[in-house]
């Protein structure tokens, strides 16, 4: 089965990608020597659909396992919810050899990862991502976080998982819109690092959109390979890792200004990628034809390409200034130089940013 190794000093871990591996979680944890007391953290829908298989597998492998649920949606990523989970872990007498299993999408992964990073100053956790976005991005790389009322992911920690189990069969129940939002991140990997992946996404769109398991395994595998390479080279985002933020500067601002409710994260990233490509073309860094290729691929996956007309360029600019990625008040963009390569830390004149945000 495809297994990718994220090799980091003292904390390397495998990403297992296959059909049906969720029900082998217990054996996988044996293989990688993980502890015997486990708290699975999930949300009610995912816990009901996939929890029994995971719990049975953990118990069959001799583990004591309990299920803890958090409310669905981004609203669960709070310090209050984290505190409630700490209390539950303490009630279960979880110790330093105990393990948290995050079963769900990126929300559950970020929250459970943050709890694992901070409970007893850090315990092991296993990511079992069940959305495409979480399988190709959020479950890999060790970024964990909760939100504050003033902004997303403002409190967090780098804490790498001990194991990632990506069961593509779980994607069969994913709503099509969520699948497409995850595909925006796969398109991102094509633009930042792999022109062949980009071409393939165009050629195989029908199989991808039909959630063909073999095609999805390949896409998840290639995405995780790229992410793993980047994280191995720059775990703490001191440089190269910023390439993963392609499309996210405008994307995050659009998400924030639409209240994190109208657009899914991947949809906002799709808009941000087209905006970044247009900036690059205006600056003469990217052939105009490549903007067209990107836009066509994004449209093929029925993802948005335009900033919502209700959002004023000025408001987006202001929100981007508050972003974590801003350095000394200077906006930084990741801009493509061709399909398959990007440059980080690009300072773009405000007039160019405004023109692009206004639809130019
Ligand atoms: P999500 O976790 O909210 O999941 C989306 C929806 O899908 C939820 O309603 C969930 O209940 C449902 N769901 C999950 N698995 C399902 C399945 N198999 N079948 C049917 N429904 C299912 O959203 P997401 O897009 O997975 O993650 C978004 C979050 O990830 C954001 O909080 C974002 O900040 C975070 N994120 C983190 C990183 C990182 O590196 N840590 C990277 C990208 C995004
Ligand atoms: N999702 C961006 C990163 O992990 O760095």
């Amino acid at each position: 089965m495809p297994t990718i190794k994220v090799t980091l000093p003292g904390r390397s871990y495998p990403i297992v990608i296959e059909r049906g591996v969720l029900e082998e979680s217990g054996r996988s944890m044996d293989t990688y020597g993980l502890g015997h007391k486990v708290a699975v953290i999930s949300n009610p829908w995912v816990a009901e659909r996939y929890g029994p298989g995971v719990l049975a597998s953990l118990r069959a492998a001799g583990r004591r396992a309990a299920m803890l649920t958090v409310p669905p949606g981004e609203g669960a990523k709070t310090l209050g919810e984290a505190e409630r989970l700490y209390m539950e872990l303490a009630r279960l007498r979880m110790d330093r050899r105990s393990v948290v299993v995050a079963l769900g999408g990126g929300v559950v992964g970020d929250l459970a990862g943050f709890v694992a990073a901070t409970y007893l100053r850090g315990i092991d956790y296993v990511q079992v991502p069940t959305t495409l976005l979480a399988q190709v991005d959020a479950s890999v790389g060790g970024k964990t976080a909760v939100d504050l009322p003033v902004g997303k992911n403002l409190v967090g920690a780098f804490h790498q998982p001990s194991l990632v189990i990506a069961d593509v069969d779980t994607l069969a129940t994913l709503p099509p819109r969520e699948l497409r939002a995850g595909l925006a991140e796969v398109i991102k990997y094509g633009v930042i690092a792999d022109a062949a992946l980009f071409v393939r996404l165009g050629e195989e769109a029908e199989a991808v959109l039909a959630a063909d398991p073999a095609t999805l395994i390949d896409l998840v595998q290639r995405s995780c390979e790229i992410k793993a390479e980047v994280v191995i080279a720059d775990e703490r985002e001191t440089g190269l890792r910023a390439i993963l933020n392609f499309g996210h500067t405008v994307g995050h601002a659009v998400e924030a200004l639409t209240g994190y409710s109208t657009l899914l994260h991947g949809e906002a990233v799709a808009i941000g990628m087209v905006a970044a490509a247009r900036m690059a073309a205006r600056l003469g860094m990217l052939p105009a034809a490549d903007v067209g290729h990107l836009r066509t691929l994004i449209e093929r996956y029925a993802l948005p390409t335009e900033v919502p007309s209700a959002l004023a360029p000025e408001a987006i600019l202001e929100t981007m200034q508050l972003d974590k990625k801003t350095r000394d008040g200077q906006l930084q963009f990741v801009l493509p130089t061709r399909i398959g390569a990007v440059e980080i830390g690009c300072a773009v004149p405000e007039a160019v940013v405004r023109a692009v945000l206004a639809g130019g």
Side-chain angles (χ1 to χ4, degrees):
M1 79 181 63
T3 303
I4 294 160
K5 194 101 185 189
V6 184
T7 314
L8 293 163
R11 52 200 182 289
S12 298
Y13 59 95
I15 307 165
V16 179
I17 304 158
E18 206 21 293
R19 301 185 65 176
V21 277
L22 184 143
E23 301 204 352
E24 289 168 25
S25 307
R27 271 202 291 157
S28 298
M29 285 178 67
D30 282 345
T31 305
Y32 297 105
L34 292 166
H36 280 77
K37 196 184 273 187
V38 182
V40 182
I41 298 179
S42 194
N43 77 23
W45 191 92
V46 178
E48 191 178 333
R49 178 68 179 75
Y50 295 110
V54 173
L55 289 173
S57 162
L58 294 172
R59 288 170 186 154
R63 287 183 167 73
R64 269 201 281 160
M67 174 65 75
L68 304 176
T69 57
V70 299
E74 185 72 27
K77 272 174 61 175
T78 62
L79 283 168
E81 205 53 48
E83 183 178 5
R84 194 182 63 76
L85 290 168
Y86 299 139
M87 297 297 283
E88 290 286 341
L89 298 185
R91 184 182 60 77
L92 293 167
R93 304 204 184 291
M94 299 273 288
D95 62 26
R96 288 204 162 122
R97 271 291 289 159
S98 303
V99 184
V100 164
V101 170
L103 173 67
V107 164
V108 161
D110 278 12
L111 171 64
F114 178 73
V115 166
T118 44
Y119 180 73
L120 303 182
R121 299 197 185 89
I123 63 172
D124 287 339
Y125 76 116
V126 175
Q127 288 274 18
V128 185
T130 62
T131 64
L132 183 61
L133 185 124
Q135 293 190 356
V136 300
D137 186 2
S139 65
V140 175
K143 280 189 182 175
T144 74
V146 293
D147 303 333
L148 293 181
V150 288
K152 246 182 84 150
N153 296 332
L154 291 185
V155 179
F158 282 98
H159 185 54
Q160 298 292 341
S162 301
L163 169 66
V164 180
I165 300 172
D167 185 340
V168 295
D169 278 350
T170 61
L171 305 180
T173 57
L174 201 59
R177 188 177 168 202
E178 294 284 353
L179 185 82
R180 293 196 302 267
L183 287 164
E185 297 284 0
V186 184
I187 294 172
K188 177 189 82 177
Y189 290 120
V191 179
I192 65 174
D194 187 348
L197 172 63
F198 187 93
V199 171
R200 198 172 163 203
L201 284 166
E203 289 171 351
E204 296 180 19
E206 212 170 301
V208 176
L209 287 167
D212 169 59
T215 309
L216 289 178
I217 288 176
D218 282 355
L219 292 186
V220 174
Q221 184 180 355
R222 185 63 196 126
S223 301
C224 287
E225 279 168 3
I226 295 169
K227 180 144 187 188
E229 267 175 41
V230 172
V231 169
I232 289 166
D234 178 23
E235 185 187 3
R236 299 274 169 150
E237 202 172 312
T238 54
L240 178 75
R241 187 164 178 169
I243 69 172
L244 300 173
N245 296 331
F246 171 57
H248 285 59
T249 310
V250 170
H252 277 162
V254 167
E255 254 187 305
L257 287 167
T258 49
Y260 299 105
S261 55
T262 328
L263 290 165
L264 299 177
H265 176 72
E267 293 169 339
V269 168
I271 292 169
M273 289 193 290
V274 174
R278 280 187 181 142
M279 286 178 210
R282 277 181 169 259
L283 296 174
M285 292 170 63
L286 180 75
D290 281 341
V291 182
H293 295 142
L294 175 59
R295 179 204 264 278
T296 303
L297 186 61
I298 290 175
E299 284 172 352
R300 179 69 185 88
Y301 285 98
L303 288 160
T305 55
E306 301 296 329
V307 172
S309 56
L311 299 184
E314 219 45 53
I316 301 176
L317 262 169
E318 205 172 297
T319 307
M320 287 194 296
Q321 301 283 1
L322 301 173
D323 196 278
K324 289 199 295 298
K325 294 183 286 300
T326 304
R327 297 271 177 276
D328 301 325
Q330 173 78 56
L331 280 177
Q332 305 272 316
F333 289 92
V334 181
L335 299 185
T337 52
R338 61 178 169 82
I339 300 297
V342 285
E343 255 177 41
I344 60 172
C346 300
V348 181
E350 257 187 46
V352 172
V353 179
R354 266 203 195 86
V356 165
L357 295 176

